[in-house]
Amino acid sequence: MAAPSFLGWDFSTQQLKVIAIDEHLRVIYEDNVNFDKDLPEFKTQGGAHVHGDRLTVTSPVLMWVKALDMILEKMKSSGFNFSQVRALSGAGQQHGSVYWKKGSIQILKNASPKLPLHQALKACFAISDSPIWMDSSTASQCSALENAVGGAQRLANITGSRAYERFTGNQIAKIYNQNPEVYAQTERISLVSSFAASLFLGAYAPIDYSDGSGMNLLQIWDKSWSASCLDACAPELVEKLGNPVPSHSVLGSISPYYIQRYGFSPDCKIVAFTGDNPASLAGMRLEEGDIAISLGTSDTLFLWIQEPTPALEGHILCNPVDSQTYMALLCFKNGSLMRERIRNECASGSWDEFSKALSSTVAGNNGNLGFYFDVMEITPEAVGVHRFNSDNQKVLNFPKEVEIRALIEGQFMAKRIHAEKLGYKVRTHSWTVFNFLDTSILRSSSAELLSNWWLPVSWLSACTGAWGCSSLSA
C-alpha cells in the first residue's frame, strides 16, 4: 500500500511551486511553473505587469489558474499518485487581491472535469489583472484611511501596521473609488492565498488571520474585521470578505473536480492557505523568542512575539501557528545590492577579500559606526551614507576594512533595534535563524560578527511548503 503524502503550494510573484512530502517529511516530488517563461502569452515581466504610471502593478488572475493546470498535468504525466494525498495547503504572495464576479461561486463549485480549470473560470473575475504587493499607487487611499481612524499610530494599534500602499484595504478602496461598477459586480474578494485555497475547495475559502493581518482591515487583537477600517475603504465590505479563520483551520474536503480529473481521494483535506511570510515562520518552525533573517535583494526579519507593540515602522501579524500570539515583520530595502557595492569599492569585488577585511577588525569597530542607504529605506525612512567615528562625529570616509565592518554591524544593529521597538526581547536562549539568500554574507565571516548581536546563532534551512498539512498528520 502506497504511503500517504501531503502537498504544499506556493503562489509567489514569479512562479507557482509545488512540493510533496511523505509522512516522515521527506520530499518525494517538486516542480514549478515560471510565469514569464512557461506562460509567455500573458506577457509578464517578473510575473507582473508594470503600468504606464510606474506605480500600478498587477498580475493576470487566469495566469495563476493556468499555471495550476499546467503543474497538475505535469504531475499526472509523471505518474504522481494523487489518491494518496491526505491534505494540502500552501502560501501566496501577501497583499494581492482577487475579485470574484457575481455568480462565480456556482461555476467554481460545478466546474467540469473535462475542461482545464482556467477555461472553466475564464468569466469569473470582475478584474482580470489583480493588484499585487509591488503596487504603490494608493497614496491618497492610505491618507484617507489613517485620517478616518485617528492617525497612523491609531491604525497601527488596530491592524498592526500604519497604512501601506500595497496593503489590500487601500487597494480595495482605490478600486471602489475609480471603478465603482466593478466593485458592485464583485461578490467575493480573496487574498492570493485564499483564492488559491478556493480553487482546491471548489468554494470561497475564508481569509486566514495571519494573511488577513496584512490588509489594514483586521483587528489583530480580537481577530475580527475593524468596522471603522472597512467603512473607510468601501461599503458592504464585510460581506465581500467573509469571516476570517485561524491559519491552521481545516476548511473541508477537496473539490470533486480534482477527484474526477486527477484521481484525488474524496478524503483529501484542504488546510487554510496563508501569506508567504507567515508560511516562512511556520515552515522554519520558529517558536517564541526565535527570530529569522532572510538576506536578499531586500532583507526581511520576522519573529515570534507574545506581547507586540505596534509602531509606525514594521508590521505586527497574527501568528499562523498559534492564534493567541503574534509575529513581527520588518523589511529593509538596502540589502544585498548595498553590500555588493561596498564589496566592489573596498574589496576589489571579491567576497574572500571582504571576509578577510571583516575578520581583521574587532567587534564594535572601535566605536566607528555607519548607516548605508543607497535608496530610500523602508525602516527607517532615510537615504544616504552616514558615518560616525568613536567621538560621535560625522566623517566623510573610513579605511576600507573599517567601512566593511561598519556596513555589516550597522545593518544588524538596526535590525535588532527595530525588532526591540516592536516588542522583541533578547533572551539568553533566543535563537536566530539565518536564511542565506544572499551568498555575500554566507561567504563572509559573519558567524563571528552576528553572534555578537544575536546569541546563539543556529544555521538552519527549511522549506515552507506543506507546513499546515504535516501538522495535520501529527
Side-chain angles (χ1 to χ4, degrees):
M1 180 172 143
S5 61
F6 307 87
L7 293 181
W9 298 87
D10 181 13
F11 285 70
S12 66
T13 309
Q14 300 187 55
Q15 60 184 326
L16 171 63
K17 301 183 287 289
V18 65
I19 186 169
I21 59 174
D22 65 16
E23 56 190 338
H24 302 292
L25 305 184
R26 294 177 299 209
V27 176
I28 58 175
Y29 184 93
E30 55 185 323
D31 207 343
N32 72 88
V33 169
N34 181 281
F35 300 139
D36 293 359
K37 179 172 66 74
D38 298 322
L39 292 167
E41 63 268 32
F42 291 99
K43 300 179 180 178
T44 57
Q45 292 186 333
H49 293 147
V50 179
H51 294 227
D53 61 2
R54 310 303 296 174
L55 299 174
T56 304
V57 184
T58 60
S59 289
V61 184
L62 284 176
M63 178 181 73
W64 297 332
V65 185
K66 190 170 183 178
L68 177 61
D69 286 331
M70 288 181 67
I71 210 164
L72 285 169
E73 292 298 332
K74 288 168 70 178
M75 295 174 75
K76 184 177 180 179
S77 297
S78 74
F80 185 85
N81 189 350
F82 291 103
S83 69
Q84 293 303 309
V85 177
R86 295 279 183 86
L88 63 85
S89 187
Q93 53 174 293
Q94 285 199 271
H95 314 303
S97 47
V98 175
Y99 299 78
W100 297 88
K101 193 180 294 184
K102 287 182 178 178
S104 296
I105 185 63
Q106 293 303 319
I107 299 174
L108 180 62
K109 181 180 179 181
N110 299 309
S112 169
K114 296 180 181 179
L115 292 175
L117 197 60
H118 74 277
Q119 292 185 16
L121 301 183
K122 62 184 178 182
C124 284
F125 305 107
I127 295 176
S128 59
D129 268 33
S130 289
I132 63 169
W133 67 272
M134 297 167 68
D135 188 282
S136 56
S137 66
T138 63
S140 61
Q141 286 78 19
C142 289
S143 297
L145 177 57
E146 290 182 346
N147 291 336
V149 301
Q153 185 60 59
R154 174 61 180 158
L155 181 62
N157 291 343
I158 296 170
T159 70
S161 303
R162 66 174 303 167
Y164 283 89
E165 293 172 325
R166 68 186 184 275
F167 274 39
T168 322
N170 306 301
Q171 297 291 337
I172 294 170
K174 176 188 171 183
I175 289 170
Y176 172 68
N177 293 336
Q178 297 185 358
N179 298 289
E181 69 287 350
V182 169
Y183 183 81
Q185 293 170 9
T186 300
E187 71 177 8
R188 186 67 169 230
I189 300 174
S190 297
L191 296 179
V192 175
S193 58
S194 60
F195 158 77
S198 300
L199 298 180
F200 288 104
L201 196 61
Y204 294 147
I207 293 171
D208 76 288
Y209 292 160
S210 197
D211 207 10
S213 308
M215 300 175 71
N216 278 146
L217 295 176
L218 187 77
Q219 297 185 91
I220 60 171
W221 309 107
D222 62 8
K223 282 78 175 175
S224 63
W225 301 120
S226 164
S228 59
C229 293
L230 296 181
D231 292 343
C233 291
E236 302 175 356
L237 190 48
V238 68
E239 291 84 4
K240 296 181 190 293
L241 293 174
N243 295 322
V245 298
S247 303
H248 46 75
S249 299
V250 177
L251 304 180
S253 298
I254 197 165
S255 166
Y257 174 89
Y258 299 91
I259 298 169
Q260 297 171 38
R261 186 173 177 91
Y262 296 106
F264 277 87
S265 165
D267 296 325
C268 175
K269 302 300 182 187
I270 311 300
V271 180
F273 285 42
T274 191
D276 49 6
N277 286 307
S280 295
L281 180 139
M284 297 178 80
R285 303 183 68 184
L286 298 192
E287 298 177 353
E288 184 179 356
D290 291 348
I291 190 166
I293 302 172
S294 175
L295 301 175
T297 304
S298 60
D299 293 346
T300 303
L301 177 151
F302 52 94
L303 54 139
W304 175 310
I305 50 177
Q306 189 79 32
E307 298 176 353
T309 53
L312 296 182
E313 296 170 345
H315 314 289
I316 301 296
L317 309 177
C318 297
N319 191 313
V321 178
D322 179 354
S323 298
Q324 302 307 308
T325 61
Y326 300 87
M327 67 173 286
L329 179 67
L330 286 163
C331 294
F332 302 85
K333 191 179 292 185
N334 291 271
S336 64
L337 297 181
M338 185 72 251
R339 291 185 285 272
E340 287 168 9
R341 180 172 77 77
I342 299 300
R343 174 205 63 184
N344 294 341
E345 293 179 359
C346 298
S348 303
S350 166
W351 287 122
D352 289 336
E353 293 301 316
F354 186 97
S355 181
K356 290 176 182 177
L358 186 61
S359 299
S360 72
T361 52
V362 297
N365 212 15
N366 293 315
N368 296 297
L369 183 62
F371 301 96
Y372 298 80
F373 309 123
D374 271 358
V375 296
M376 179 62 73
E377 186 52 78
I378 301 170
T379 312
E381 290 187 12
V383 69
V385 175
H386 311 275
R387 302 177 183 89
F388 299 88
N389 63 20
S390 58
D391 295 322
N392 203 29
Q393 296 173 330
K394 194 164 186 177
V395 296
L396 291 178
N397 50 62
F398 285 143
K400 291 181 178 181
E401 67 277 6
V402 175
E403 182 93 307
I404 288 172
R405 182 169 283 273
L407 164 71
I408 300 300
E409 288 192 345
Q411 286 189 333
F412 279 87
M413 280 195 296
K415 290 173 174 59
R416 174 169 176 170
I417 289 167
H418 289 290
E420 289 178 333
K421 283 184 178 180
L422 290 175
Y424 180 73
K425 297 178 178 62
V426 178
R427 299 179 176 86
T428 303
H429 298 295
S430 294
W431 289 88
T432 307
V433 180
F434 294 96
N435 179 16
F436 283 103
L437 303 182
D438 180 355
T439 57
S440 67
I441 299 301
L442 180 59
R443 291 177 184 174
S444 74
S445 55
S446 56
E448 169 270 322
L449 168 66
L450 302 180
S451 64
N452 284 287
W453 301 110
W454 307 91
L455 295 171
V457 178
S458 173
W459 302 87
L460 299 176
S461 62
C463 76
T464 60
W467 65 269
C469 303
S470 59
S471 63
L472 187 69
S473 67

